[in-house]
Amino acid sequence: VGGAVMMNAGSATKWIGSYLVKARVVDFEGRVRDLPREEIRFEYRSSGLKDVVITHATFRFPDVPASVTQERLGAYSDYRRRTQDRSSYS
């Protein structure tokens, strides 16, 4: 999860940084800080966090019925199959 936050992992039109409430980070001097989302500079495939390790992350996701989530996951999977070249995968 820390890596996903660090690189602002996402798919299609959603990114993990949009759902982050706060992250606990430890710097290389051993200092622990809790950073609210507003203090993290999320961009495409980046959180802007440098020289820290993310040890905890708190998220708030929308309350969506499981059937809607399954439908969206299916649509994302179908989209990836149609648009990404998989011939180089073993």
PDB file of all heavy atoms in Angstrom, residues 1-11 14-20 37 41-48:
ATOM      1  N   VAL A   1       0.836  -1.194   0.000  1.00  0.00           N
ATOM      2  CA  VAL A   1       0.000   0.000   0.000  1.00  0.00           C
ATOM      3  C   VAL A   1       0.873   1.247   0.000  1.00  0.00           C
ATOM      4  O   VAL A   1       0.568   2.220  -0.672  1.00  0.00           O
ATOM      5  CB  VAL A   1      -0.968  -0.006   1.203  1.00  0.00           C
ATOM      6  CG1 VAL A   1      -1.663   1.317   1.361  1.00  0.00           C
ATOM      7  CG2 VAL A   1      -1.979  -1.112   1.060  1.00  0.00           C
ATOM      8  N   GLY A   2       1.981   1.206   0.745  1.00  0.00           N
ATOM      9  CA  GLY A   2       2.872   2.365   0.769  1.00  0.00           C
ATOM     10  C   GLY A   2       3.397   2.717  -0.612  1.00  0.00           C
ATOM     11  O   GLY A   2       3.462   3.888  -0.983  1.00  0.00           O
ATOM     12  N   GLY A   3       3.750   1.702  -1.388  1.00  0.00           N
ATOM     13  CA  GLY A   3       4.230   1.935  -2.742  1.00  0.00           C
ATOM     14  C   GLY A   3       3.148   2.520  -3.635  1.00  0.00           C
ATOM     15  O   GLY A   3       3.419   3.385  -4.467  1.00  0.00           O
ATOM     16  N   ALA A   4       1.919   2.048  -3.446  1.00  0.00           N
ATOM     17  CA  ALA A   4       0.804   2.580  -4.237  1.00  0.00           C
ATOM     18  C   ALA A   4       0.568   4.051  -3.928  1.00  0.00           C
ATOM     19  O   ALA A   4       0.305   4.851  -4.828  1.00  0.00           O
ATOM     20  CB  ALA A   4      -0.461   1.764  -3.970  1.00  0.00           C
ATOM     21  N   VAL A   5       0.682   4.421  -2.654  1.00  0.00           N
ATOM     22  CA  VAL A   5       0.522   5.832  -2.277  1.00  0.00           C
ATOM     23  C   VAL A   5       1.694   6.640  -2.821  1.00  0.00           C
ATOM     24  O   VAL A   5       1.504   7.720  -3.387  1.00  0.00           O
ATOM     25  CB  VAL A   5       0.400   5.991  -0.748  1.00  0.00           C
ATOM     26  CG1 VAL A   5       0.445   7.467  -0.351  1.00  0.00           C
ATOM     27  CG2 VAL A   5      -0.875   5.339  -0.241  1.00  0.00           C
ATOM     28  N   MET A   6       2.904   6.109  -2.657  1.00  0.00           N
ATOM     29  CA  MET A   6       4.110   6.826  -3.094  1.00  0.00           C
ATOM     30  C   MET A   6       4.033   7.180  -4.577  1.00  0.00           C
ATOM     31  O   MET A   6       4.392   8.280  -4.973  1.00  0.00           O
ATOM     32  CB  MET A   6       5.346   5.967  -2.822  1.00  0.00           C
ATOM     33  CG  MET A   6       6.652   6.647  -3.157  1.00  0.00           C
ATOM     34  SD  MET A   6       7.064   8.049  -2.104  1.00  0.00           S
ATOM     35  CE  MET A   6       7.698   7.231  -0.664  1.00  0.00           C
ATOM     36  N   MET A   7       3.538   6.255  -5.401  1.00  0.00           N
ATOM     37  CA  MET A   7       3.493   6.521  -6.852  1.00  0.00           C
ATOM     38  C   MET A   7       2.108   6.934  -7.331  1.00  0.00           C
ATOM     39  O   MET A   7       1.886   7.052  -8.530  1.00  0.00           O
ATOM     40  CB  MET A   7       3.961   5.298  -7.642  1.00  0.00           C
ATOM     41  CG  MET A   7       3.103   4.087  -7.407  1.00  0.00           C
ATOM     42  SD  MET A   7       2.736   2.976  -8.763  1.00  0.00           S
ATOM     43  CE  MET A   7       2.824   3.858 -10.233  1.00  0.00           C
ATOM     44  N   ASN A   8       1.186   7.158  -6.404  1.00  0.00           N
ATOM     45  CA  ASN A   8      -0.176   7.556  -6.757  1.00  0.00           C
ATOM     46  C   ASN A   8      -0.754   6.608  -7.813  1.00  0.00           C
ATOM     47  O   ASN A   8      -1.191   7.021  -8.883  1.00  0.00           O
ATOM     48  CB  ASN A   8      -0.234   9.005  -7.236  1.00  0.00           C
ATOM     49  CG  ASN A   8      -1.646   9.559  -7.233  1.00  0.00           C
ATOM     50  OD1 ASN A   8      -2.524   9.055  -6.544  1.00  0.00           O
ATOM     51  ND2 ASN A   8      -1.867  10.605  -8.008  1.00  0.00           N
ATOM     52  N   ALA A   9      -0.735   5.317  -7.479  1.00  0.00           N
ATOM     53  CA  ALA A   9      -1.216   4.280  -8.392  1.00  0.00           C
ATOM     54  C   ALA A   9      -2.655   4.554  -8.810  1.00  0.00           C
ATOM     55  O   ALA A   9      -3.447   5.088  -8.033  1.00  0.00           O
ATOM     56  CB  ALA A   9      -1.117   2.918  -7.710  1.00  0.00           C
ATOM     57  N   GLY A  10      -2.950   4.171 -10.026  1.00  0.00           N
ATOM     58  CA  GLY A  10      -4.304   4.395 -10.509  1.00  0.00           C
ATOM     59  C   GLY A  10      -4.600   3.618 -11.759  1.00  0.00           C
ATOM     60  O   GLY A  10      -3.755   2.898 -12.284  1.00  0.00           O
ATOM     61  N   SER A  11      -5.827   3.771 -12.211  1.00  0.00           N
ATOM     62  CA  SER A  11      -6.282   3.102 -13.418  1.00  0.00           C
ATOM     63  C   SER A  11      -7.399   3.936 -14.024  1.00  0.00           C
ATOM     64  O   SER A  11      -8.288   4.396 -13.301  1.00  0.00           O
ATOM     65  CB  SER A  11      -6.812   1.712 -13.072  1.00  0.00           C
ATOM     66  OG  SER A  11      -7.358   1.092 -14.194  1.00  0.00           O
ATOM     67  N   LYS A  14      -9.216   6.995 -12.016  1.00  0.00           N
ATOM     68  CA  LYS A  14      -9.159   7.010 -10.547  1.00  0.00           C
ATOM     69  C   LYS A  14      -7.720   6.808 -10.078  1.00  0.00           C
ATOM     70  O   LYS A  14      -6.978   6.021 -10.650  1.00  0.00           O
ATOM     71  CB  LYS A  14     -10.034   5.881  -9.960  1.00  0.00           C
ATOM     72  CG  LYS A  14     -11.465   5.893 -10.424  1.00  0.00           C
ATOM     73  CD  LYS A  14     -12.212   7.047  -9.838  1.00  0.00           C
ATOM     74  CE  LYS A  14     -13.674   6.964 -10.277  1.00  0.00           C
ATOM     75  NZ  LYS A  14     -14.375   8.186 -10.132  1.00  0.00           N
ATOM     76  N   TRP A  15      -7.351   7.527  -9.010  1.00  0.00           N
ATOM     77  CA  TRP A  15      -6.019   7.412  -8.439  1.00  0.00           C
ATOM     78  C   TRP A  15      -6.145   7.289  -6.934  1.00  0.00           C
ATOM     79  O   TRP A  15      -7.038   7.873  -6.316  1.00  0.00           O
ATOM     80  CB  TRP A  15      -5.187   8.641  -8.794  1.00  0.00           C
ATOM     81  CG  TRP A  15      -4.984   8.742 -10.273  1.00  0.00           C
ATOM     82  CD1 TRP A  15      -3.990   8.161 -11.006  1.00  0.00           C
ATOM     83  CD2 TRP A  15      -5.823   9.429 -11.198  1.00  0.00           C
ATOM     84  NE1 TRP A  15      -4.169   8.442 -12.332  1.00  0.00           N
ATOM     85  CE2 TRP A  15      -5.290   9.234 -12.480  1.00  0.00           C
ATOM     86  CE3 TRP A  15      -6.982  10.187 -11.070  1.00  0.00           C
ATOM     87  CZ2 TRP A  15      -5.845   9.757 -13.621  1.00  0.00           C
ATOM     88  CZ3 TRP A  15      -7.554  10.713 -12.215  1.00  0.00           C
ATOM     89  CH2 TRP A  15      -6.980  10.500 -13.473  1.00  0.00           C
ATOM     90  N   ILE A  16      -5.218   6.555  -6.335  1.00  0.00           N
ATOM     91  CA  ILE A  16      -5.298   6.268  -4.909  1.00  0.00           C
ATOM     92  C   ILE A  16      -5.193   7.534  -4.057  1.00  0.00           C
ATOM     93  O   ILE A  16      -5.802   7.622  -2.996  1.00  0.00           O
ATOM     94  CB  ILE A  16      -4.248   5.207  -4.505  1.00  0.00           C
ATOM     95  CG1 ILE A  16      -4.664   4.533  -3.199  1.00  0.00           C
ATOM     96  CG2 ILE A  16      -2.848   5.808  -4.433  1.00  0.00           C
ATOM     97  CD1 ILE A  16      -3.920   3.256  -2.921  1.00  0.00           C
ATOM     98  N   GLY A  17      -4.458   8.529  -4.523  1.00  0.00           N
ATOM     99  CA  GLY A  17      -4.325   9.770  -3.771  1.00  0.00           C
ATOM    100  C   GLY A  17      -5.646  10.483  -3.544  1.00  0.00           C
ATOM    101  O   GLY A  17      -5.803  11.217  -2.568  1.00  0.00           O
ATOM    102  N   SER A  18      -6.607  10.237  -4.410  1.00  0.00           N
ATOM    103  CA  SER A  18      -7.923  10.866  -4.257  1.00  0.00           C
ATOM    104  C   SER A  18      -8.659  10.356  -3.030  1.00  0.00           C
ATOM    105  O   SER A  18      -9.573  11.024  -2.535  1.00  0.00           O
ATOM    106  CB  SER A  18      -8.786  10.588  -5.490  1.00  0.00           C
ATOM    107  OG  SER A  18      -8.159  11.084  -6.635  1.00  0.00           O
ATOM    108  N   TYR A  19      -8.293   9.177  -2.558  1.00  0.00           N
ATOM    109  CA  TYR A  19      -9.006   8.548  -1.445  1.00  0.00           C
ATOM    110  C   TYR A  19      -8.213   8.561  -0.147  1.00  0.00           C
ATOM    111  O   TYR A  19      -8.707   8.120   0.884  1.00  0.00           O
ATOM    112  CB  TYR A  19      -9.362   7.108  -1.820  1.00  0.00           C
ATOM    113  CG  TYR A  19     -10.187   7.054  -3.072  1.00  0.00           C
ATOM    114  CD1 TYR A  19      -9.630   6.675  -4.286  1.00  0.00           C
ATOM    115  CD2 TYR A  19     -11.527   7.431  -3.059  1.00  0.00           C
ATOM    116  CE1 TYR A  19     -10.388   6.651  -5.441  1.00  0.00           C
ATOM    117  CE2 TYR A  19     -12.290   7.415  -4.214  1.00  0.00           C
ATOM    118  CZ  TYR A  19     -11.711   7.020  -5.403  1.00  0.00           C
ATOM    119  OH  TYR A  19     -12.466   7.012  -6.542  1.00  0.00           O
ATOM    120  N   LEU A  20      -6.988   9.046  -0.196  1.00  0.00           N
ATOM    121  CA  LEU A  20      -6.152   9.075   1.006  1.00  0.00           C
ATOM    122  C   LEU A  20      -6.639  10.141   1.974  1.00  0.00           C
ATOM    123  O   LEU A  20      -6.923  11.272   1.573  1.00  0.00           O
ATOM    124  CB  LEU A  20      -4.695   9.365   0.627  1.00  0.00           C
ATOM    125  CG  LEU A  20      -3.715   9.297   1.787  1.00  0.00           C
ATOM    126  CD1 LEU A  20      -3.423   7.845   2.135  1.00  0.00           C
ATOM    127  CD2 LEU A  20      -2.432  10.032   1.440  1.00  0.00           C
ATOM    128  N   ARG A  37      -3.747  14.436   3.670  1.00  0.00           N
ATOM    129  CA  ARG A  37      -3.704  14.444   2.213  1.00  0.00           C
ATOM    130  C   ARG A  37      -3.374  15.830   1.659  1.00  0.00           C
ATOM    131  O   ARG A  37      -2.664  15.960   0.665  1.00  0.00           O
ATOM    132  CB  ARG A  37      -5.057  13.965   1.652  1.00  0.00           C
ATOM    133  CG  ARG A  37      -5.032  13.835   0.142  1.00  0.00           C
ATOM    134  CD  ARG A  37      -6.384  14.013  -0.498  1.00  0.00           C
ATOM    135  NE  ARG A  37      -6.314  13.813  -1.927  1.00  0.00           N
ATOM    136  CZ  ARG A  37      -5.687  14.604  -2.784  1.00  0.00           C
ATOM    137  NH1 ARG A  37      -5.026  15.647  -2.372  1.00  0.00           N
ATOM    138  NH2 ARG A  37      -5.683  14.356  -4.069  1.00  0.00           N
ATOM    139  N   ARG A  41       1.591  16.388  -2.291  1.00  0.00           N
ATOM    140  CA  ARG A  41       1.408  16.938  -3.624  1.00  0.00           C
ATOM    141  C   ARG A  41       1.244  15.807  -4.654  1.00  0.00           C
ATOM    142  O   ARG A  41       2.196  15.388  -5.309  1.00  0.00           O
ATOM    143  CB  ARG A  41       2.606  17.808  -3.986  1.00  0.00           C
ATOM    144  CG  ARG A  41       2.480  18.559  -5.279  1.00  0.00           C
ATOM    145  CD  ARG A  41       3.678  19.457  -5.536  1.00  0.00           C
ATOM    146  NE  ARG A  41       4.954  18.879  -5.171  1.00  0.00           N
ATOM    147  CZ  ARG A  41       5.703  18.134  -5.986  1.00  0.00           C
ATOM    148  NH1 ARG A  41       5.312  17.876  -7.203  1.00  0.00           N
ATOM    149  NH2 ARG A  41       6.859  17.656  -5.570  1.00  0.00           N
ATOM    150  N   PHE A  42       0.024  15.305  -4.789  1.00  0.00           N
ATOM    151  CA  PHE A  42      -0.232  14.229  -5.741  1.00  0.00           C
ATOM    152  C   PHE A  42      -0.276  14.766  -7.158  1.00  0.00           C
ATOM    153  O   PHE A  42      -0.874  15.796  -7.423  1.00  0.00           O
ATOM    154  CB  PHE A  42      -1.560  13.530  -5.420  1.00  0.00           C
ATOM    155  CG  PHE A  42      -1.477  12.625  -4.233  1.00  0.00           C
ATOM    156  CD1 PHE A  42      -2.037  13.002  -3.029  1.00  0.00           C
ATOM    157  CD2 PHE A  42      -0.832  11.405  -4.311  1.00  0.00           C
ATOM    158  CE1 PHE A  42      -1.970  12.185  -1.921  1.00  0.00           C
ATOM    159  CE2 PHE A  42      -0.751  10.568  -3.214  1.00  0.00           C
ATOM    160  CZ  PHE A  42      -1.321  10.956  -2.018  1.00  0.00           C
ATOM    161  N   GLU A  43       0.409  14.030  -8.046  1.00  0.00           N
ATOM    162  CA  GLU A  43       0.397  14.299  -9.476  1.00  0.00           C
ATOM    163  C   GLU A  43       0.292  12.965 -10.189  1.00  0.00           C
ATOM    164  O   GLU A  43       0.237  11.923  -9.541  1.00  0.00           O
ATOM    165  CB  GLU A  43       1.693  15.006  -9.887  1.00  0.00           C
ATOM    166  CG  GLU A  43       1.870  16.370  -9.255  1.00  0.00           C
ATOM    167  CD  GLU A  43       3.206  17.010  -9.615  1.00  0.00           C
ATOM    168  OE1 GLU A  43       3.998  16.367 -10.348  1.00  0.00           O
ATOM    169  OE2 GLU A  43       3.442  18.127  -9.173  1.00  0.00           O
ATOM    170  N   TYR A  44       0.323  12.997 -11.496  1.00  0.00           N
ATOM    171  CA  TYR A  44       0.278  11.764 -12.272  1.00  0.00           C
ATOM    172  C   TYR A  44       1.456  10.878 -11.888  1.00  0.00           C
ATOM    173  O   TYR A  44       2.604  11.278 -12.032  1.00  0.00           O
ATOM    174  CB  TYR A  44       0.299  12.070 -13.771  1.00  0.00           C
ATOM    175  CG  TYR A  44       0.289  10.824 -14.623  1.00  0.00           C
ATOM    176  CD1 TYR A  44      -0.890  10.100 -14.800  1.00  0.00           C
ATOM    177  CD2 TYR A  44       1.441  10.367 -15.220  1.00  0.00           C
ATOM    178  CE1 TYR A  44      -0.912   8.946 -15.572  1.00  0.00           C
ATOM    179  CE2 TYR A  44       1.441   9.219 -16.000  1.00  0.00           C
ATOM    180  CZ  TYR A  44       0.264   8.516 -16.159  1.00  0.00           C
ATOM    181  OH  TYR A  44       0.255   7.367 -16.917  1.00  0.00           O
ATOM    182  N   ARG A  45       1.169   9.731 -11.341  1.00  0.00           N
ATOM    183  CA  ARG A  45       2.152   8.720 -10.938  1.00  0.00           C
ATOM    184  C   ARG A  45       3.196   9.234  -9.947  1.00  0.00           C
ATOM    185  O   ARG A  45       4.332   8.783  -9.936  1.00  0.00           O
ATOM    186  CB  ARG A  45       2.844   8.108 -12.154  1.00  0.00           C
ATOM    187  CG  ARG A  45       1.912   7.362 -13.071  1.00  0.00           C
ATOM    188  CD  ARG A  45       1.374   6.106 -12.387  1.00  0.00           C
ATOM    189  NE  ARG A  45       0.520   5.337 -13.267  1.00  0.00           N
ATOM    190  CZ  ARG A  45      -0.819   5.309 -13.166  1.00  0.00           C
ATOM    191  NH1 ARG A  45      -1.431   5.997 -12.237  1.00  0.00           N
ATOM    192  NH2 ARG A  45      -1.518   4.576 -13.996  1.00  0.00           N
ATOM    193  N   SER A  46       2.811  10.163  -9.102  1.00  0.00           N
ATOM    194  CA  SER A  46       3.732  10.692  -8.098  1.00  0.00           C
ATOM    195  C   SER A  46       2.969  11.286  -6.924  1.00  0.00           C
ATOM    196  O   SER A  46       1.890  11.862  -7.093  1.00  0.00           O
ATOM    197  CB  SER A  46       4.610  11.782  -8.716  1.00  0.00           C
ATOM    198  OG  SER A  46       5.416  12.380  -7.728  1.00  0.00           O
ATOM    199  N   SER A  47       3.569  11.150  -5.751  1.00  0.00           N
ATOM    200  CA  SER A  47       3.018  11.793  -4.557  1.00  0.00           C
ATOM    201  C   SER A  47       3.846  13.003  -4.156  1.00  0.00           C
ATOM    202  O   SER A  47       3.437  13.769  -3.302  1.00  0.00           O
ATOM    203  CB  SER A  47       3.002  10.810  -3.388  1.00  0.00           C
ATOM    204  OG  SER A  47       4.341  10.478  -3.020  1.00  0.00           O
ATOM    205  N   GLY A  48       5.018  13.126  -4.753  1.00  0.00           N
ATOM    206  CA  GLY A  48       5.911  14.197  -4.348  1.00  0.00           C
ATOM    207  C   GLY A  48       6.652  13.884  -3.058  1.00  0.00           C
ATOM    208  O   GLY A  48       7.502  14.663  -2.638  1.00  0.00           O
TER     209      GLY A  48
END
